[in-house]
Amino acid sequence: MNSSPESSPIDHAESIVNALGDGAYVLDADRNRVFVNDRLREVTGFDQAVLHAKHPERLVEKGYWSAETGDRYRAAADRVLGGEADDERVQLTTTLADGREITTETRLTPIERDGSVVGAVGVIRDVTDRVQRERELKRLNERLERLAGFLSHDLRNPLSVARGYVDLARETGDTERLAAAEGAFGRIESMIDEALVMARDPDEVETADAAVDLAELAADCLESGDPGDQPADADLVVDDPGPVAGDPTLLRRAVGNLIGNAFEHGDDDVTVRVGIDDRGVYVADDGPGLPADERDRAALTDFGVSPRGGTGIGLAIVERVAAAHGWTLDVDESASGGFRATLVGAEPTK
């Protein structure tokens, strides 16, 4: 009686891989891909020379994987083939033959014969949508954290003003003081609206295109108390009181934060200058400025990060206002050696 030769574990794995709905392949003990199913060929568009080759070296050589991606895959595969792991999952970014980029999760499991690992099966699942949702969720959480920080930081000044006027009205019986408190509460309501705008992506924020007078804007910032306590001998100078094109509410928030930043970190007699030049709207002071190693704009505008011991909220809001207008925020040393922030791209109205 004739009997068919016993199939090898590799052959058995190939038959299973061929039936899978996901892209899959078989590696031999030297990390050569000796079999790939039709689904993997269809999704990747790779030719035989790439699919049946040492893995991941050929993918890295052809530019479908980065060197770092190749290193991570190689380490995972070697653990499986070396008998150190019964299951490895590794998330990888792959450029397909048509130039599209996808994120996949590969699960590697060993193929054994007589107690020795002779190969591995790799099953690939496209997780691009899942990764994108996770990234969106992370960005949403970051925006919510920024929103909480903005509200807890910036609402304190107008709340203090309103509370002070209410207490004074109670003590004196003078209800006219309540009008000022009402104004402060109105400012709080406006700030909450601004905070909700700030929590969104800059390109989703609608901005008005109005003529905003810098002198009136600076005076309104001081009167509202938004920048915090003004040092006794501090001075605010508007170099150019002309109108600037922008959203009045958002521009007021940005300029108010920059003035407040100058008051907070400057000397008692700090002079703050507001104006517009050929680069954009600027707020500059003659305070101590920033050391050279602290002029990294990305670090200065991170929420919750402040090299000078502050909350890291104010400049982050300014950058978001700039981005919503299509401008950029530039920080540098002022002409007097202090701190200067410029909303690059802001222009005077015609």
Side-chain angles (χ1 to χ4, degrees):
M1 181 173 65
N2 294 329
S3 60
S4 59
E6 182 181 354
S7 63
S8 72
I10 291 286
D11 293 335
H12 183 60
E14 289 178 3
S15 64
I16 295 174
V17 164
N18 204 35
L20 291 175
D22 291 319
Y25 56 87
V26 176
L27 292 178
D28 67 15
D30 295 319
R31 275 192 288 102
N32 294 301
R33 279 207 287 206
V34 295
F35 181 82
V36 298
N37 68 359
D38 290 338
R39 179 59 178 163
L40 185 59
R41 299 174 192 276
E42 175 189 338
V43 171
T44 63
F46 296 157
D47 59 27
Q48 287 288 101
V50 173
L51 290 172
H52 290 268
K54 197 164 183 69
H55 194 42
E57 284 78 358
R58 195 59 184 272
L59 286 178
V60 174
E61 176 190 335
K62 291 294 185 180
Y64 296 126
W65 277 1
S66 68
E68 185 274 335
T69 296
D71 289 342
R72 285 194 296 111
Y73 175 88
R74 187 184 298 107
D78 286 347
R79 284 192 292 270
V80 172
L81 293 171
E84 301 173 23
D86 293 330
D87 182 273
E88 282 282 335
R89 296 172 186 264
V90 58
Q91 189 169 290
L92 308 163
T93 300
T94 303
T95 301
L96 303 180
D98 62 8
R100 289 182 298 120
E101 189 174 88
I102 64 171
T103 302
T104 61
E105 183 179 81
T106 296
R107 180 179 182 181
L108 292 166
T109 54
I111 303 171
E112 297 183 1
R113 180 173 189 174
D114 299 330
S116 298
V117 177
V118 295
V121 171
V123 179
I124 303 173
R125 181 154 295 175
D126 187 343
V127 294
T128 306
D129 291 341
R130 188 192 78 192
V131 170
Q132 183 62 32
R133 287 194 298 271
E134 290 172 352
R135 288 173 181 165
E136 290 295 333
L137 181 60
K138 181 180 179 182
R139 283 195 287 266
L140 175 60
N141 288 335
E142 288 174 350
R143 288 200 296 272
L144 291 174
E145 289 176 6
R146 293 170 182 176
L147 174 61
F150 172 80
L151 292 175
S152 64
H153 172 261
D154 283 44
L155 286 178
R156 288 176 183 168
N157 287 326
L159 274 174
S160 296
V161 170
R163 188 175 291 116
Y165 281 122
V166 170
D167 289 344
L168 194 58
R170 284 175 177 157
E171 293 173 4
T172 64
D174 184 359
T175 57
E176 291 184 4
R177 305 279 187 179
L178 295 178
E182 185 178 9
F185 284 126
R187 181 62 193 139
I188 291 170
E189 183 178 6
S190 176
M191 289 173 66
I192 291 173
D193 291 339
E194 294 167 23
L196 295 175
V197 170
M198 291 301 101
R200 299 167 60 193
D201 286 328
D203 56 3
E204 296 177 354
V205 177
E206 295 182 4
T207 57
D209 187 18
V212 183
D213 186 275
L214 284 180
E216 294 178 2
L217 180 69
D220 189 36
C221 286
L222 287 183
E223 183 179 348
S224 69
D226 290 352
D229 294 332
Q230 180 176 348
D233 298 319
D235 194 14
L236 178 63
V237 178
V238 180
D239 293 330
D240 184 353
V244 175
D247 185 286
T249 301
L250 297 181
L251 192 56
R252 181 182 185 280
R253 165 58 46 197
V255 172
N257 279 1
L258 291 173
I259 294 173
N261 186 68
F263 286 166
E264 180 180 357
H265 299 291
D267 300 322
D268 287 342
D269 59 352
V270 64
T271 296
V272 183
R273 311 190 77 88
V274 178
I276 185 168
D277 57 18
D278 57 355
R279 297 188 67 218
V281 172
Y282 63 84
V283 177
D285 63 57
D286 59 359
L290 285 173
D293 60 351
E294 292 182 2
R295 291 177 191 161
D296 177 14
R297 182 187 60 78
L300 285 171
T301 57
D302 274 349
F303 273 84
V305 177
S306 176
R308 299 194 283 181
T311 62
I313 299 295
L315 287 178
I317 295 295
V318 176
E319 183 176 55
R320 188 163 286 264
V321 169
H325 285 85
W327 308 332
T328 57
L329 171 64
D330 180 68
V331 295
D332 203 350
E333 182 179 288
S334 69
S336 57
F339 181 77
R340 174 184 169 119
T342 305
L343 300 173
V344 179
E347 298 178 346
T349 56
K350 304 293 186 181

